[in-house]
Amino acid sequence: MEAISRVTGRAIPFGAKNVDTDIIIPAKWLKTTTREGLGEGAFEAIRAAPDNVFDDPAYKGSPILIAGDNFGCGSSREHAAWALLDLGVRAVIAPSYSDIFSGNAVKNGILPIVLPQAAVNRLLEVAREGHEIDIDLETQSVTTPFQDRFSFDIDPFRKHCLMGGLDEIALTLERQEAITQYESRRSAAQSWLTAGTQI
């Protein structure tokens, strides 16, 4: 997982409320055995309409998505986070999220930022005007070129994981020395468990 400390760039001014995971990535895309290419199916129903924000060249490659309340509700599909990553999104700003989506986002290296609706409205305005937004995870702040500054809260463990690029496997490997010592002690004390096995 790629570490995040800062995300700067244009933001996709989406803003829609109650966007479920089936809108983020439709079920027909869940048959894939790889994460690559899911960005093509991201927001497919919305992208079917002409002049949609996701296919606007002005926002191509934007690393930030600004969404509405209750983003990522619906099913628990992790593919929603994978699709956003494949689309190039590294941070989402919204007033609230589904708990499962928020967890999946962090586990895949996407920063879900919760801000009040008034702050989200201001950032939508800045994004629509074509200005960049800066997110600093270390200071837990979102700023604009117009001296707007919005602070956000984040669970310290989630912050540690995102800044260190630590998924669940990497977190386990951080304890590799302790695990190895435990296994050595266990093998010595209970040799009958591994008798006759070759490692």
Side-chain angles (χ1 to χ4, degrees), residues 56-173:
D56 186 332
Y59 304 110
K60 185 174 177 59
S62 296
I64 302 166
L65 173 67
I66 303 175
D69 198 38
N70 198 28
F71 186 76
C73 56
S75 76
S76 61
R77 66 187 68 165
E78 193 171 10
H79 297 69
W82 298 349
L84 288 174
L85 274 177
D86 200 54
L87 197 61
V89 173
R90 294 306 311 276
V92 180
I93 301 172
S96 68
Y97 301 88
S98 151
D99 287 342
I100 294 174
F101 171 81
S102 181
N104 284 339
V106 171
K107 289 177 184 179
N108 285 281
I110 298 173
L111 171 58
I113 296 172
V114 174
L115 288 177
Q117 187 64 57
V120 171
N121 291 344
R122 172 59 181 153
L123 292 171
L124 283 168
E125 180 184 345
V126 170
R128 288 180 182 127
E129 291 172 353
H131 302 288
E132 290 193 346
I133 291 170
D134 181 62
I135 298 169
D136 187 333
L137 180 54
E138 179 63 38
T139 63
Q140 296 176 210
S141 63
V142 179
T143 57
T144 75
F146 306 101
Q147 308 307 311
D148 298 297
R149 182 181 181 87
F150 305 108
S151 297
F152 62 89
D153 293 326
I154 184 169
D155 176 82
F157 177 71
R158 287 184 166 190
K159 181 176 180 177
H160 169 73
C161 292
L162 287 166
M163 293 194 72
L166 303 171
D167 59 15
E168 290 166 325
I169 294 172
L171 282 166
T172 302
L173 291 176

Side-chain angles (χ1 to χ4, degrees), residues 25 71 119 124 194 199:
I25 186 71
F71 186 76
L124 283 168
T194 56
I199 299 175

Side-chain angles (χ1 to χ4, degrees), residues 2-39:
E2 187 179 338
I4 296 178
S5 59
R6 193 172 211 120
V7 182
T8 303
R10 294 197 66 176
I12 302 168
F14 182 39
K17 297 180 180 181
N18 301 312
V19 173
D20 65 28
T21 51
D22 195 51
I23 293 294
I24 298 171
I25 186 71
K28 70 178 185 179
W29 289 86
L30 307 188
K31 300 172 189 172
T32 181
T33 57
T34 178
R35 300 179 186 197
E36 287 76 31
L38 286 174

